[in-house]
């Protein structure tokens, strides 16, 4: 009696134990990555939905039209022809892009239509890429740097830009992210190398540049499994033979455009000599010359840093900063991360270097290896920053990325609406004047976005792109026109093509077109 009875939290029935101070800190730390990922995901999905208001741009029309042709049963039969196709009588022309991704998009497009088929596939691919990068960074640096990397992969301007439009690059990034994760986290077993081979064989079916990584897999297998003697040699040999089989299967299944060869790409986009689209305008293969390759390589490296136009820095600057952090990690802290991570990052950086030197530097190409540099940058920041700094960095970065991506979303939406009006207005004119089975020659002074816009507007009519200043003779132009059976010419009224055909009884049918075709005329050509 008189002695107080102390009831502890554990002894009191029906009461839950309050978490201790350390447990509260752990819960708080665990909730920050989840909150960051959730806000980033919702922001990303909302912005993509807002931005995806319709087609705009150039290649976006190409990708969408190719999926339309697949759904129509005209597999690998495009409606946009170039002088190479007309000269070599490759008509109807093969697809400029013909990949596994096209068939994934076509499957979704059965329910959504081709345009939104691309948007759905790209959105899922970008979410998958971000998740894979999250898992890769989390292994070495914890959840908060991983969530930061996840946010970057969703809301950086470049991933958002290529996701919210019909582009192929969004669907290529998961191969790099998945390959890195499998190589770094996978067991040193035959199954890992078989998985890597299958992954990059599929990647090669989407872009031939992955051939380099495809044949690195057997070499990596031979090195990492070298202690297993003949078994490693046999597996590496089988993977090498599998790579050769994949190359042959790709050519058989997808029948790539004969104009798009490695040799022709090497000769394209040489400053002061050739343009990016010369692979399709040049009638014959040019010899490979060392001085051209050196000039092209120099330009590709310079364009990585001295970016033109300045607005493209919105895409290049974040990539370059992430690349610098990744290089710092590899040079100064490589002993603090796994050797496999170092090797994997170097392979990805090397792949990008080879692309800009041999193929040319285009900002879309950055996105293919962006998972590697974003992962490397996040791991590097984890080495540099204390835990408290991550809260401020994450909040500031998220806000900045939402603002920049919102700007891009408004721009995409506005341009899509404008180009939709052009599609309707020009389409109505051609539907009234030009039968759908008549081919049209398009005079292209250089190569501009409006050219592929026009090709999309007048589909399913065949359009033969013809560059008036490329140096074709009158006889060559006439042969290509005849091969394509072009009955109409759509060109600027002062186009040299009009003069070339002036000796014939052509007829100006109309020149009343809205911008960007206000300076164009539609000419009926003699049979």
């Amino acid at each position: 009696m008189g002695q107080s009875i102390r009831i502890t939290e554990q002894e009191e029935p029906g009461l839950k134990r309050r978490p201790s101070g350390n447990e509260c800190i752990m819960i708080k730390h665990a909730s920050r990555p989840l909150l960051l990922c959730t806000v980033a995901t919702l922001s990303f999905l909302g912005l993509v939905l807002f931005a995806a208001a319709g087609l705009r741009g150039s290649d976006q029309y190409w990708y969408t039209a190719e999926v339309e042709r697949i759904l129509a049963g005209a597999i690998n039969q495009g409606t946009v022809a170039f002088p190479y196709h007309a000269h070599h009588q490759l008509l109807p022309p093969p697809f400029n892009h013909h990949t596994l991704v096209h068939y994934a998009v076509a499957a979704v497009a059965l329910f959504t239509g081709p345009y939104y088929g691309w948007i759905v596939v790209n959105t899922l691919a970008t979410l998958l890429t971000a998740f894979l990068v999250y898992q890769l960074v989390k292994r070495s640096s914890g959840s908060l740097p991983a969530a930061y990397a996840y946010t970057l992969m969703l809301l950086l301007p470049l991933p958002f830009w290529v996701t919210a439009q019909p582009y192929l690059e969004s669907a290529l990034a998961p191969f790099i992210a998945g390959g890195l994760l499998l190589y770094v986290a996978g067991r040193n077993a035959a199954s890992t190398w078989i998985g890597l081979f299958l992954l990059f064989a599929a990647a090669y079916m989407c872009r031939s540049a992955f051939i380099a990584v495809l044949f690195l897999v057997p070499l990596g297998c031979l090195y990492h499994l070298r202690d297993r003697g003949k078994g490693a040699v046999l597996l590496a040999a089988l993977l090498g033979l599998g790579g050769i089989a994949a190359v042959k299967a790709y050519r058989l299944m997808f029948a790539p455009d004969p104009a798009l060869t490695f040799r022709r790409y090497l000769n394209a986009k040489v400053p002061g000599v050739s343009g990016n689209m010369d692979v399709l305008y040049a009638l014959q293969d040019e010899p490979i010359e060392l001085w051209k390759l050196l000039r092209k390589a120099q330009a590709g490296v310079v364009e990585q840093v001295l970016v033109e136009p300045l607005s493209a820095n919105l895409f290049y600057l974040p990539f370059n900063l992430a690349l610098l952090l990744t290089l710092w990690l590899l040079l100064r802290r490589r002993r603090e991360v796994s050797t496999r991570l170092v090797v994997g990052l170097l392979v990805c950086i090397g792949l990008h270097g080879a692309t800009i030197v041999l193929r040319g530097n285009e900002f879309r190409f950055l996105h293919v290896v962006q998972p590697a540099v974003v992962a490397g940058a996040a791991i590097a920041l984890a080495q540099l920053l204390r835990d408290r700094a991550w809260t401020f960095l994450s909040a500031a970065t998220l806000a900045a990325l939402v603002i920049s991506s919102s700007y891009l979303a408004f721009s995409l939406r506005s341009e899509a609406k404008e180009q939709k009006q052009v599609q309707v207005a020009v389409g109505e004119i051609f539907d009234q004047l030009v039968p759908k089975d008549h081919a049209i020659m398009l005079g292209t002074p250089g190569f501009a976005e409006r050219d592929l816009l026009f090709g999309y507007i007048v589909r399913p009519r065949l359009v033969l792109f013809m560059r008036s200043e490329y140096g074709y003779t009158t006889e060559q132009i006439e042969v290509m026109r005849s091969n394509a059976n072009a009955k109409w010419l759509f060109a600027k009224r002062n186009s040299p093509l009009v003069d070339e055909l002036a000796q014939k009884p052509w007829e100006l049918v109309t020149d009343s077109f809205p911008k960007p075709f206000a300076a164009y005329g539609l000419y009926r050509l003699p049979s």
Side-chain angles (χ1 to χ4, degrees):
M1 299 292 296
Q3 191 175 24
S4 62
I5 299 175
R6 183 180 180 184
I7 301 177
T8 66
E9 291 178 356
Q10 290 87 350
E11 292 171 335
E12 178 68 34
L15 290 179
K16 293 183 179 179
R17 184 180 67 86
R18 293 180 181 178
S20 65
N22 288 337
E23 289 173 324
C24 286
I25 294 174
M26 292 176 64
I27 293 172
K28 182 180 178 181
H29 284 192
S31 65
R32 282 189 296 172
L34 177 61
L35 178 62
L36 181 59
C37 290
T38 301
V39 174
T41 301
L42 294 176
S43 300
F44 168 73
L45 292 175
L47 286 170
V48 169
L49 186 62
F50 178 79
L55 278 168
R56 47 78 58 202
S58 56
D59 284 20
Q60 297 92 320
Y61 290 103
W62 226 338
Y63 286 118
T64 304
E66 286 164 346
V67 172
E68 289 179 355
R69 298 291 286 173
I70 290 173
L71 292 176
I75 295 175
N76 207 23
Q77 296 179 25
T79 58
V80 173
F82 286 83
Y84 182 91
H85 304 129
H87 181 76
H88 295 278
Q89 301 187 49
L90 297 171
L91 300 169
F95 288 172
N96 188 263
H97 323 88
H98 192 201
T99 71
L100 276 177
V101 179
H102 281 65
Y103 291 90
V105 173
V108 177
L110 292 171
F111 305 96
T112 64
Y115 170 74
Y116 283 106
W118 276 107
I119 302 303
V120 169
V121 168
N122 285 351
T123 300
L124 294 176
T126 301
L127 288 170
L128 175 60
T129 302
F131 173 76
L132 294 170
V133 170
Y134 175 92
Q135 294 298 327
L136 179 64
V137 175
K138 183 181 178 182
R139 286 184 56 82
S140 62
S141 303
S143 296
L144 197 50
Y148 186 73
Y150 177 91
T151 301
L152 294 179
M153 282 310 306
L154 291 185
L155 290 173
L156 275 173
L158 183 54
F160 175 76
W161 182 263
V162 297
T163 299
Q165 302 182 78
Y167 274 132
L168 182 61
E169 282 72 18
S170 287
L172 301 180
F175 291 110
I176 289 292
L180 262 177
L181 182 61
L182 182 57
Y183 176 64
V184 172
R187 296 182 300 114
N188 193 28
S191 58
T192 296
W193 294 101
I194 293 172
L196 284 169
F197 168 78
L198 294 175
L199 184 70
F200 286 110
Y204 174 72
M205 301 288 179
C206 300
R207 177 161 288 175
S208 58
F210 280 106
I211 191 172
V213 186
L214 179 63
F215 284 102
L216 278 178
V217 172
L219 297 178
C221 171
L222 189 62
Y223 175 79
H224 285 286
L225 300 182
R226 61 189 181 279
D227 58 339
R228 303 191 185 184
K230 293 181 179 180
V233 174
L234 177 61
L235 179 58
L238 290 174
L239 294 179
L241 291 173
I244 295 172
V247 171
K248 292 186 177 296
Y250 168 71
R251 293 175 180 171
L252 179 65
M253 295 166 57
F254 294 95
D257 189 338
L260 306 180
T261 63
F262 181 66
R263 177 176 180 173
R264 292 172 69 85
Y265 271 128
L266 284 179
N267 278 317
K269 207 176 181 181
V270 178
V273 178
S274 59
N276 182 46
M277 299 298 292
D278 277 29
V279 288
L280 294 165
Y281 283 101
L283 302 183
Q284 304 295 340
D285 291 353
E286 297 289 335
I288 296 174
E289 300 179 73
L290 181 59
W291 70 270
K292 291 182 181 179
L293 297 181
L294 293 176
R295 180 182 291 188
K296 181 175 183 176
Q298 180 186 25
V301 174
V302 170
E303 289 168 3
Q304 186 70 34
V305 182
L306 302 178
V307 182
E308 292 183 1
L310 288 176
S311 59
N313 279 292
L314 194 62
F315 305 120
Y316 277 94
L317 186 58
F319 182 92
N320 288 338
L321 291 175
L323 178 60
L324 288 174
L325 283 168
T326 301
L327 292 175
W328 176 87
L329 177 72
L330 297 178
L331 293 173
R332 301 296 298 273
R333 298 293 180 91
R334 61 183 179 275
R335 295 181 180 178
E336 299 179 26
V337 295
S338 72
T339 302
R340 288 201 176 197
L341 178 62
V342 172
V343 172
L345 292 176
L346 285 174
V347 167
C348 294
I349 294 171
L351 179 63
H352 177 63
T355 299
I356 65 176
V357 166
L358 300 175
R359 173 67 176 85
N361 200 331
E362 295 184 27
F363 70 83
R364 284 187 291 141
F365 297 164
L366 305 177
H367 183 65
V368 179
V369 296
Q370 193 148 31
V373 297
V374 165
I379 294 170
L381 288 173
Q383 304 269 348
L384 293 169
L385 300 179
R386 295 183 178 181
D387 183 72
R388 291 181 180 179
W390 279 104
T391 300
F392 172 78
L393 179 64
S394 299
T397 301
L398 179 63
L401 293 183
V402 168
I403 291 171
S404 63
S405 292
S406 296
Y407 166 77
L408 292 177
F410 276 99
S411 175
L412 289 173
R413 188 176 182 86
S414 174
E415 290 182 22
K417 290 183 177 180
E418 290 176 4
Q419 294 193 14
K420 180 62 177 178
Q421 293 175 353
V422 175
Q423 291 176 41
V424 172
V426 176
E428 288 178 351
I429 296 173
F430 275 84
D431 285 344
Q432 292 173 6
L433 299 175
V434 181
K436 292 188 181 296
D437 60 345
H438 281 200
I440 304 167
M441 182 188 294
L442 173 66
T444 61
F447 187 80
E449 286 188 354
R450 62 177 175 270
D451 300 335
L452 287 172
L453 166 60
F454 176 78
Y456 187 80
I457 290 173
V458 300
R459 71 196 193 289
R461 303 170 185 87
L462 177 68
V463 179
L464 172 60
F465 285 33
M466 185 65 65
R467 272 170 69 171
S468 52
E469 80 286 6
Y470 201 79
Y472 305 121
T473 66
T474 302
E475 291 74 17
Q476 287 176 323
I477 294 174
E478 182 57 34
V479 167
M480 288 186 279
R481 181 181 83 87
S482 176
N483 289 342
N485 195 25
K487 300 180 183 296
W488 303 80
L489 170 66
F490 187 63
K492 289 187 175 181
R493 293 184 290 277
N494 62 353
S495 169
L497 278 175
V498 177
D499 295 330
E500 290 284 352
L501 299 169
Q503 57 188 309
K504 308 257 184 188
W506 52 263
E507 174 192 354
L508 175 61
V509 177
T510 181
D511 58 0
S512 299
F513 294 97
K515 293 181 179 180
F517 302 109
Y520 282 67
L522 176 63
Y523 302 84
R524 192 194 312 272
L525 300 179
S527 301

